């Protein structure tokens, strides 16, 4: 009887009901030493190397399209250990000009280190910048572990309160302590970012992929733009490990980006390979340029989404409570 009940629950889960794409076979190839054949003759995407200060300045002074919104909210999701918290720390490090660890990360555990819904404000000096990140519990293969997909959908809509404790087996409901019934414009999410590790994308569990595809479908229904940040590029490609500026001449990195595209469905133009700070003790301009270039795209499309929603409110003649 217990087995039949478990099977029925699995059939009734939101992820099980969602039609998903066929899962790609796991890669059996191993990383090779770089050779001339593994490189394109020239970078296939331009990168503003040496322009960190300009990228940083533009983000510090970015004008949001809503007069009463101080920042756009960006939600991060992804597999356990993909580098969500490390990405937040790396972005903060780029602006603070020192290595920071505000978002606690665990590089040794196979379980999610993030247990609650928390907002991270990015500062430049003492000024809070016009974008914030929300980190959540990582996705895991078992239904009883990791972030519940419905909690992520509710976070997109602004229904999760700050400090909400994630429950892998049950999503927050109306009336619960962690449920916000009337989110303001500033509490809603304007861009969803998937964090995927380049060296692990070929080995992702099918169940995790199904959860990501379910979340993508729901985010698309909500008209929320989506981006992929592909981390651990140096662990995936020896060429890039030796010289980060070869990131867009590396054929291997482009193949990894295409795998991310096929798995989640986000277009290549919205996939950004980066290196998070991991063992470094000082900032690096090339690392920062990749991070800030990706962040620029995230903030721009998040603001576009804010602008569309604000225009809809004005067209409807409603008053938006911020």
């Amino acid at each position: 009887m217990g087995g039949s009940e478990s099977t029925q629950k699995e059939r009734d889960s939101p992820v099980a009901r969602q039609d998903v794409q066929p899962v790609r076979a796991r890669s059996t190839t191993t990383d090779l030493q770089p050779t001339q054949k593994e490189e394109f003759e020239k970078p296939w995407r331009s990168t503003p190397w040496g322009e960190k200060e300009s990228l940083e300045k533009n983000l510090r002074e970015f004008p949001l399209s809503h007069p009463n919104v101080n920042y756009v909210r960006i939600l991060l999701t992804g597999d356990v250990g993909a580098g969500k918290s490390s990405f937040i720390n790396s972005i903060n490090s780029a602006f603070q000009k020192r290595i920071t660890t505000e978002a606690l990360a665990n590089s040794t555990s196979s379980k999610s280190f993030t247990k609650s819904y928390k907002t991270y404000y990015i500062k430049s000096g003492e000024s809070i910048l016009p974008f914030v990140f929300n980190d959540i519990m990582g996705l895991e293969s078992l239904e009883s572990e990791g972030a519940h997909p419905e909690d992520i959908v509710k976070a997109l809509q602004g229904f999760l309160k700050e400090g909400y404790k994630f429950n892998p087996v049950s999503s927050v409901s109306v009336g619960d302590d962690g449920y916000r019934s009337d989110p303001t414009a500033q509490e809603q999410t304007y861009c969803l970012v998937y964090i995927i590790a380049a060296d692990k994308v070929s080995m992702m569990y099918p169940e995790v992929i199904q959860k990501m595809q379910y979340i993508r479908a729901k985010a698309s229904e909500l008209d929320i733009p989506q981006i992929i940040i592909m981390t651990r590029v140096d662990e995936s490609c020896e060429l890039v490990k030796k010289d980060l500026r070869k990131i867009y001449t590396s054929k291997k990195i482009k193949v990894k980006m295409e795998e991310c595209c096929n798995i989640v469905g986000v277009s290549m133009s919205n996939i950004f390979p980066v290196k998070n700070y991991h063992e470094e003790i000082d900032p690096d301009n090339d690392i920062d340029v990749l991070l800030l270039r990706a962040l620029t795209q995230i903030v721009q499309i998040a603001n576009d989404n804010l602008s569309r929603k604000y225009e809809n409110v004005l067209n409807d003649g409603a008053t938006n409570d911020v």
Side-chain angles (χ1 to χ4, degrees):
M1 180 175 179
S4 62
E5 289 178 349
S6 176
T7 301
Q8 181 63 41
K9 287 181 179 179
E10 292 176 0
R11 286 199 298 267
D12 290 341
S13 73
V15 175
R17 293 196 303 268
Q18 178 71 29
D19 292 335
V20 298
Q21 301 291 328
V23 177
R24 290 167 56 92
R26 296 188 183 187
S27 172
T28 58
T29 60
T30 57
D31 288 346
L32 303 174
Q33 293 296 317
T35 66
Q36 188 173 6
K37 292 182 179 179
E38 291 183 27
E39 280 192 79
F40 295 107
E41 291 185 2
K42 60 181 182 179
W44 60 271
R45 179 184 284 178
S46 62
T47 305
W49 303 115
E51 297 182 23
K52 178 198 169 181
E53 297 302 323
S54 176
L55 290 167
E56 186 181 339
K57 180 177 183 293
N58 290 339
L59 285 163
R60 280 200 315 266
E61 300 174 359
F62 192 91
L64 296 181
S65 57
H66 193 304
N68 298 321
V69 170
N70 296 323
Y71 46 76
V72 286
R73 190 172 299 273
I74 300 157
L75 182 67
L76 307 183
T77 188
D79 202 354
V80 170
K84 296 182 296 299
S85 298
S86 294
F87 178 69
I88 295 173
N89 288 333
S90 296
I91 292 292
N92 200 34
S93 297
F95 284 99
Q96 292 292 324
K97 296 179 174 57
R98 61 182 178 85
I99 303 302
T100 66
T101 55
E102 183 177 353
L104 297 180
N106 190 343
S107 60
T108 60
S109 176
S110 60
K111 301 298 180 183
S112 181
F113 197 65
T114 302
K115 305 296 183 183
S116 60
Y117 185 70
K118 183 176 180 179
T119 301
Y120 290 93
Y121 300 87
I122 306 300
K123 292 183 177 181
S124 178
E126 295 302 316
S127 301
I128 295 178
L129 300 183
F131 46 86
V132 299
F133 292 101
N134 275 100
D135 194 11
I136 62 172
M137 179 179 264
L139 297 171
E140 298 190 38
S141 59
L142 298 180
E143 290 291 325
S144 59
E145 295 180 357
H148 196 292
E150 285 299 336
D151 271 346
I152 299 175
V153 176
K154 289 182 173 69
L156 292 172
Q157 299 168 284
F159 292 140
L160 294 190
K161 288 183 178 179
E162 185 76 7
Y164 165 72
K165 303 293 184 182
F166 291 103
N167 182 352
V169 298
S170 177
S171 174
V172 68
S173 300
V174 177
D176 290 348
D177 289 340
Y179 187 89
R180 179 188 290 114
S181 58
D182 189 22
T184 65
Q186 203 155 261
E187 291 164 339
Q188 299 171 40
T189 296
Y190 293 94
C191 182
L192 173 62
V193 176
Y194 305 91
I195 307 293
I196 300 178
D199 61 328
K200 298 179 180 179
V201 62
S202 301
M203 300 178 288
M204 288 176 63
Y205 286 103
E207 296 84 359
V208 172
I209 295 174
Q210 290 173 6
K211 290 179 180 181
M212 293 179 73
Q213 291 176 347
Y214 174 78
I215 293 163
R216 171 162 172 75
K218 291 297 183 179
S220 297
E221 289 177 8
L222 296 168
D223 292 326
I224 294 176
Q226 296 151 67
I227 276 181
I228 292 176
I229 294 296
M230 193 177 77
T231 60
R232 296 174 60 89
V233 292
D234 54 319
E235 298 299 325
S236 177
C237 178
E238 189 69 22
L239 184 72
V240 173
K241 189 171 188 176
K242 292 180 177 179
D243 185 356
L244 194 58
R245 292 197 178 196
K246 291 185 178 291
I247 195 162
Y248 289 121
T249 60
S250 167
K251 292 182 179 180
K252 175 167 284 187
I253 293 300
K254 190 171 186 182
V255 167
K256 293 294 184 181
M257 292 172 65
E258 289 167 347
E259 286 187 64
C260 293
C261 172
N262 292 335
I263 285 174
V264 183
V266 171
S267 67
M268 285 286 285
S269 61
N270 279 332
I271 300 177
F272 293 87
V274 304
K275 171 178 164 52
N276 287 337
Y277 285 109
H278 172 57
E279 58 188 8
E280 297 79 7
I281 60 173
D282 295 304
D284 178 272
N285 278 353
D286 288 348
I287 293 176
D288 288 348
V289 164
L290 288 176
L291 290 165
L292 296 177
R293 179 62 191 89
L295 180 60
T296 298
Q297 180 70 1
I298 292 170
V299 173
Q300 285 175 342
I301 69 171
N303 186 59
D304 290 342
N305 187 21
L306 173 64
S307 178
R308 287 192 298 271
K309 290 186 176 181
Y310 181 51
E311 287 175 2
N312 290 338
V313 168
L314 292 179
N315 292 335
D316 292 340
T319 300
N320 194 13
D321 177 20
V322 180

